[in-house]
Amino acid sequence: MTAIQKKIVIDEHGKPLEVIIPWEQFCELSEALGLDLDAEAIADLREARRDWESGDRAAFVPLSEL
């Protein structure tokens, strides 16, 4: 994983208050964590997980068919 470039904002007592990261890294992190997904995509992923956990392999397409 790439190191996160950051600036830490502290208060007058040296306590960290905020972290500032470059916008590009924020976007990369959001995408990697799935924070950019809409409600429909999240529902589809949850359904796929249920199918996988229940053993319903027919719900999936082999990678070779994509």
Side-chain angles (χ1 to χ4, degrees):
M1 179 173 194
T2 305
I4 298 174
Q5 301 169 3
K6 61 191 173 292
K7 294 179 185 174
I8 301 173
V9 179
I10 57 174
D11 67 10
E12 61 274 2
H13 303 290
K15 179 182 173 187
L17 295 175
E18 299 175 336
V19 176
I20 302 170
I21 64 172
W23 181 253
E24 185 176 317
Q25 284 194 325
F26 171 78
C27 292
E28 289 173 6
L29 285 169
S30 293
E31 184 177 331
L33 295 172
L35 302 176
D36 60 337
L37 299 176
D38 61 20
E40 183 179 352
I42 292 169
D44 289 344
L45 288 169
R46 287 184 177 146
E47 181 180 358
R49 174 175 272 177
R50 284 191 299 273
D51 289 339
W52 183 261
E53 289 174 348
S54 71
D56 183 6
R57 301 303 185 251
F60 297 91
V61 176
L63 186 58
S64 60
E65 293 182 17
L66 296 179

